[in-house]
Amino acid sequence: MTIYTVTSGDTPSTIAAAFGVPLTRLLSDNGLTPEQILVPGQQLVILPTAQTYTVQQGDSLYSVSQQTGISINELLRNNPALRGVPQIYPGQTLAITLEGEAGGPIAVNGYLYPFIDESVLRATLPYLTYITVFTYGFREDGSLIPEQDETVLDIAKSYGVGALLLISTLTDEGVFNNQLSGRLFADPAAQETLINNLMTTVREKGYRGVEVDFEYLSREEAAGYVQFLTRLKQALAAEGYLLFVALAPKTSGDQPGLLYEGHDYGGIGAVADYVILMTYEWGYKFGPPGAVAPLPSVERVVQYAVTEIPSDKILLGVPNYGYDWPLPFVQGQTEAQGIGNVAAVEQAAEERVDIQFDRTAKAPFYNYTREGTPHVVWFENAESVEEKLRLVERYDLAGISIWNIMRYFPQLYRVLNGTFELQQNA
């Protein structure tokens, strides 16, 4: 795998010729169109094929899988032009294997909302081990607030991807109430009701397990949280289900702040099957401009986490978005707008500005001016993703968790596919 940085005058055709790859392959790997104008600083992923197959009359992706010994999901990953749909035609050239050896295997989780565009979901599922459906809530008595998740669960199942039921402090009004969790920890009867309701839903809907995301807990609630998780884990494990827990990005055990104090890494790590480090939002909607997940900050979280939690239980959070800040930034007044990684590059092309890469944060950014107002955009690209995946390899982590998969970002999945063997059929 090669990550190429576009320079002035480059076109998809000249880059494809320089690397000896078919133009159609370069375009599909990077989600480009033939006439697309490239931006200096934009990055493209080059993934040459090692073995190809020409589709014959009567072939199906299933029959090609049987002939080659390559799973259908791997064929879908190696042929992103299919967008996760196993429809092929005679004369089509399929990539069977890619050049180079992938590391791994790793687990890949992706968060989604139930209203995700089906074409985006299908294009993404071949790369995933799990999906986490955002989100179930609960009431003070332990009753569940359900989600309309049947469609996404059925589609995920057809790809062999395990689904996780996310439980958070969402209320009937559709807002988060962080007092709910504290009340739950103090009420054993409500805990039993909630756990029983979770177990019933997991069984009936075919979930692979439960993910718990209780945030903004006080230091005094930390022990109660671990006790609740222990009860839930016992119920899940008795029937072969998994427990995931989302963790705030701490760098020390005594880190102050309501976001961090209630998350006991050691206690939670001992109970959970997997934890997800929410290593993003350093650059955020109401904060000063900067990378969403600057690599030094992310690595400090990982360095602390592996001292408290077995590395093979840890999934590293990876953001799939950026922010566009108007300038100058004024605390309490400036509000950034979220932007997808593909849209960020398209906007740079529209504004005729070059993309730069911050060598400390390991993240791309650019500046532009619209209607007299300066802006700065920070987002993710192939290299920033690769840098995060290197942390997974360096610290021997279990894998990654993507927040979120609602926007399709082709290069994220190309880099994943070129770096690791991906676990399937959870």
Side-chain angles (χ1 to χ4, degrees):
M1 179 184 70
T2 300
I3 295 175
Y4 176 74
T5 301
V6 172
T7 61
S8 181
D10 280 339
T11 68
S13 296
T14 61
I15 295 170
F19 283 92
V21 297
L23 175 60
T24 54
R25 177 77 192 187
L26 179 73
L27 296 174
S28 64
D29 274 0
N30 292 279
L32 304 175
T33 58
E35 67 280 0
Q36 190 155 343
I37 298 174
L38 301 180
V39 180
Q42 178 180 357
Q43 292 183 339
L44 304 182
V45 180
I46 315 294
L47 267 175
T49 58
Q51 178 187 359
T52 61
Y53 176 81
T54 302
V55 177
Q56 306 299 308
Q57 189 70 40
D59 277 341
S60 65
L61 203 64
Y62 175 78
S63 69
V64 174
S65 172
Q66 293 295 104
Q67 291 177 54
T68 60
I70 305 296
S71 72
I72 290 178
N73 272 346
E74 187 172 356
L75 289 173
L76 291 171
R77 292 196 297 272
N78 292 346
N79 295 276
L82 297 177
R83 292 295 297 263
V85 179
Q87 294 179 351
I88 57 178
Y89 56 86
Q92 184 177 13
T93 299
L94 297 178
I96 303 302
T97 57
L98 304 177
E99 288 187 2
E101 293 186 9
I106 65 166
V108 181
N109 178 59
Y111 287 94
L112 59 82
Y113 293 88
F115 54 83
I116 186 172
D117 182 277
E118 184 175 325
S119 65
V120 172
L121 179 60
R122 290 186 180 277
T124 307
L125 281 170
Y127 303 88
L128 302 182
T129 316
Y130 305 100
I131 58 168
T132 295
V133 181
F134 197 90
T135 174
Y136 281 68
F138 67 97
R139 306 179 183 92
E140 287 192 31
D141 63 359
S143 55
L144 269 184
I145 302 170
E147 266 290 3
Q148 301 299 314
D149 50 8
E150 290 79 7
T151 298
V152 294
L153 294 180
D154 287 344
I155 296 172
K157 184 178 180 180
S158 71
Y159 287 79
V161 174
L164 304 174
L165 186 162
L166 179 64
I167 183 70
S168 65
T169 55
L170 191 73
T171 67
D172 281 298
E173 291 72 36
V175 297
F176 293 95
N177 180 354
N178 298 308
Q179 295 180 350
L180 270 176
S181 48
R183 294 169 186 161
L184 179 72
F185 304 153
D187 188 343
Q191 290 184 43
E192 183 175 1
T193 299
L194 178 57
I195 290 171
N196 287 339
N197 286 330
L198 288 170
M199 294 301 300
T200 297
T201 305
V202 165
R203 294 187 204 103
E204 290 180 349
K205 293 194 172 183
Y207 274 102
R208 184 68 183 87
V210 171
E211 180 184 331
V212 183
D213 182 9
F214 291 173
E215 300 181 28
Y216 298 100
L217 306 181
S218 68
R219 191 181 304 276
E220 292 71 28
E221 292 171 324
Y225 190 24
V226 173
Q227 291 168 4
F228 166 70
L229 292 172
T230 300
R231 293 186 67 181
L232 177 57
K233 164 66 175 179
Q234 290 170 346
L236 290 166
E239 299 186 31
Y241 298 113
L242 299 172
L243 173 64
F244 286 61
V245 182
L247 295 178
K250 295 177 65 167
T251 56
S252 66
D254 58 355
Q255 186 169 345
L258 191 55
L259 182 63
Y260 312 104
E261 293 174 356
H263 284 185
D264 172 4
Y265 268 37
I268 294 171
V271 174
D273 293 294
Y274 294 98
V275 302
I276 293 172
L277 303 181
M278 294 185 285
T279 38
Y280 29 77
E281 288 289 283
W282 277 272
Y284 62 102
K285 189 178 184 71
F286 300 105
V292 172
L295 196 74
S297 299
V298 173
E299 185 164 15
R300 283 193 291 271
V301 175
V302 175
Q303 287 171 337
Y304 168 64
V306 295
T307 69
E308 297 281 357
I309 304 167
S311 62
D312 61 1
K313 286 188 173 187
I314 297 173
L315 299 181
L316 180 69
V318 174
N320 181 26
Y321 62 97
Y323 285 113
D324 181 333
W325 284 267
L327 299 175
F329 172 79
V330 179
Q331 188 69 50
Q333 296 182 26
T334 301
E335 180 178 336
Q337 297 300 312
I339 188 168
N341 299 314
V342 172
V345 175
E346 292 172 346
Q347 180 174 261
E350 292 168 3
E351 299 293 341
R352 300 178 183 272
V353 295
D354 294 357
I355 295 170
Q356 303 176 65
F357 194 84
D358 187 290
R359 290 294 158 192
T360 299
K362 302 293 185 185
F365 71 98
Y366 60 86
N367 296 84
Y368 73 97
T369 299
R370 181 179 294 167
E371 298 179 352
T373 300
H375 289 250
V376 62
V377 178
W378 288 84
F379 61 107
E380 301 291 326
N381 66 2
E383 186 174 352
S384 71
V385 169
E386 183 183 46
E387 291 285 353
K388 294 173 182 62
L389 294 183
R390 286 175 178 167
L391 293 181
V392 174
E393 191 169 39
R394 187 179 309 148
Y395 292 92
D396 199 24
L397 305 184
I400 68 168
S401 180
I402 304 165
W403 178 264
N404 57 55
I405 65 168
M406 300 297 288
R407 299 183 178 108
Y408 186 61
F409 176 30
Q411 293 180 341
L412 167 58
Y413 304 110
R414 298 298 89 73
V415 174
L416 257 179
N417 201 32
T419 307
F420 290 108
E421 177 188 346
L422 307 180
Q423 291 180 16
Q424 294 283 301
N425 300 314

